[in-house]
Amino acid sequence: MGNMVDLRSDTVTKPTAAMRDAMCQAEVGDDVYGEDPTVNRLERVAAELLGKEASVFVPSGTMANQIALLTHTQRGDEVFIHRDNHIYFYEGGGAAMWSQATFTELAGDEGLMTPEELSDRIRPRNIHHPRPRLLSLENTHNRAGGAALSRSRLMPLVEVAREHGLAVHLDGARIANAAVALHVSIASLTADMDSVSMCFSKGLGAPVGSVLAGPKDYIDQARVYRKWLGGGMRQAGILAAAGLYAIEHHIDRLEEDHVRAARLAEQLRRAGYQVDQPSVPTNMVMVNLDRDATEVIQHLAAQGVLVSAMGPRRLRLVTHLDVTDADIDRTLLEFSQLKG
Ligand code: TLP
């Protein structure tokens, strides 16, 4: 899509020349035999980055999350989750097929339920109730506008989970954005979680690839489920090299995406648009419209600016590696012309 400004998602980034070079040079082997040195290195580096014993490389964030649920739960077990979490909202009901867990959905601001609500929903052990097993969190929170959730905001929920013997999974598809926005280490945001998924194919700019990290025995079991789901790849070092390159070169620069998103939000507000986040913490801008989102999306697309719908009258604009300051200016121009 040459000449287009593509703000639909940070998943649309194309690998840079340097990243392609790293992929090209990657030493490879058969990863199903555990013999791909680059995959093995990425799994060690990612585990360390996330402060866990081990990690497993998978093709997508969705697969990382679905394997996480499979590994934590037995059929029918109860998973407590915010209704706007990706696992609940955007994974096609996959959990009904794979883990067959029961979801108990909760609501609340910024992708978080309150500790009281969570505690009230956890029922006593009784033959009538599913076994309460897992709390599933998300950081940054996509549908909550890329909210970066600090450890102190997550901790009270983790404590309730622990009191009731629940494990905790974090969908950390964009955990690097959260760490950069909060000026803390990634590991400090994942320390209290049993398992964490993280994506290289979003703001970090890799073409493919995610990891699931956790204790060694948990990851050993997760590898079995990855094979079940057909996620055991062969000379995957070519892809893992992109992940390693992303970790080394594309984490600190996320700050640039956040600065661009903040400017975009501020100027959209000045142009009379309703941006519904109090401040824009990371790389997402949510715009509430007074008309149908599809119409606006089509109009902007015809002018070369791509954005996505987050609801019938709500847009999402995402900054990333391939969005420049000039692209932001062009987007603002199109939005102000639309208004006028
Ligand atoms: N999110 C995509 C769409 O699916 C909505 C996007 O454009 O933002 N966790 C979170 C928090 C995500 O935002 C996503 C992708 C995933 C998991 C799934 O990752 P993939 O697409 O690699 O399966």
Side-chain angles (χ1 to χ4, degrees):
M1 296 222 180
N3 252 340
M4 301 289 255
V5 180
D6 195 345
L7 302 169
R8 287 172 301 170
S9 181
D10 48 11
T11 59
V12 303
T13 53
K14 310 236 170 73
T16 62
M19 181 180 275
R20 283 175 194 256
D21 211 37
M23 295 171 76
C24 221
Q25 305 302 325
E27 216 187 309
V28 296
D30 190 326
D31 182 47
V32 173
Y33 291 103
E35 289 174 5
D36 189 300
T38 311
V39 172
N40 293 341
R41 189 151 74 86
L42 174 63
E43 289 179 348
R44 279 196 307 275
V45 168
E48 196 176 319
L49 186 71
L50 294 163
K52 302 295 167 207
E53 261 175 13
S55 85
V56 58
F57 185 53
V58 293
S60 68
T62 301
M63 194 187 283
N65 284 333
Q66 294 298 325
I67 292 176
L69 296 181
L70 268 167
T71 312
H72 280 298
T73 62
Q74 302 285 317
R75 273 191 296 180
D77 281 356
E78 191 173 20
V79 176
F80 296 87
I81 192 162
H82 190 283
R83 65 181 184 193
D84 278 329
N85 281 24
H86 195 276
I87 291 179
Y88 185 79
F89 198 95
Y90 285 124
E91 296 190 10
M97 286 185 273
W98 314 128
S99 60
Q100 300 176 31
T102 304
F103 276 141
T104 291
E105 53 151 318
L106 291 116
D109 292 344
E110 293 208 275
L112 295 177
M113 61 292 278
T114 65
E116 294 71 31
E117 273 165 333
L118 175 61
S119 144
D120 287 352
R121 291 296 287 276
I122 304 176
R123 293 165 288 184
R125 289 309 307 279
N126 176 313
I127 197 171
H128 298 93
H129 306 146
R131 182 174 72 132
R133 180 66 192 121
L134 184 71
L135 170 65
S136 193
L137 300 170
E138 185 176 311
N139 197 14
T140 64
H141 200 284
N142 183 350
R143 287 187 58 80
L149 306 167
S150 66
R151 187 179 191 182
S152 60
R153 298 213 36 216
L154 297 176
M155 215 37 219
L157 291 168
V158 173
E159 275 162 14
V160 171
R162 298 299 178 215
E163 274 164 36
H164 293 85
L166 305 185
V168 184
H169 171 65
L170 179 71
D171 178 346
R174 297 184 181 84
I175 193 65
N177 293 81
V180 166
L182 295 164
H183 307 290
V184 297
S185 70
I186 291 177
S188 74
L189 293 174
T190 56
D192 307 309
M193 315 294 159
D194 295 293
S195 59
V196 187
S197 58
M198 172 182 180
C199 294
F200 307 117
S201 58
K202 313 234 152 35
L204 297 183
V208 179
S210 297
V211 284
L212 175 64
K216 183 170 179 317
D217 55 346
Y218 176 90
I219 295 304
D220 287 346
Q221 184 58 47
R223 269 181 213 287
V224 175
Y225 291 129
R226 180 184 67 169
K227 196 77 185 74
W228 281 22
L229 296 180
M233 299 179 285
R234 303 294 178 172
Q235 286 70 37
I238 290 182
L239 303 175
L244 281 163
Y245 185 90
I247 289 173
E248 228 174 282
H249 300 278
H250 290 171
I251 292 185
D252 292 343
R253 67 149 305 285
L254 290 172
E255 180 69 29
E256 290 176 35
D257 299 342
H258 300 176
V259 168
R260 288 195 180 101
R263 176 164 82 88
L264 179 60
E266 191 192 304
Q267 298 191 2
L268 280 172
R269 268 199 200 103
R270 268 193 225 152
Y273 284 94
Q274 194 208 334
V275 176
D276 72 357
Q277 299 134 285
S279 70
V280 167
T282 59
N283 64 336
M284 295 183 181
V285 179
M286 300 289 181
V287 183
N288 284 330
L289 301 167
D290 49 18
R291 57 177 139 162
D292 186 36
T294 340
E295 240 175 71
V296 173
I297 289 170
Q298 278 167 4
H299 177 89
L300 289 169
Q303 311 306 312
V305 174
L306 304 177
V307 304
S308 53
M310 281 308 253
R313 291 170 179 223
R314 194 160 185 241
L315 301 178
R316 184 185 73 166
L317 286 65
V318 187
T319 57
H320 53 73
L321 202 60
D322 296 340
V323 174
T324 63
D325 285 326
D327 292 336
I328 298 294
D329 292 337
R330 183 166 158 209
T331 304
L332 286 163
L333 184 70
E334 293 306 337
F335 267 89
S336 46
Q337 280 177 0
L338 192 66
K339 200 83 192 177

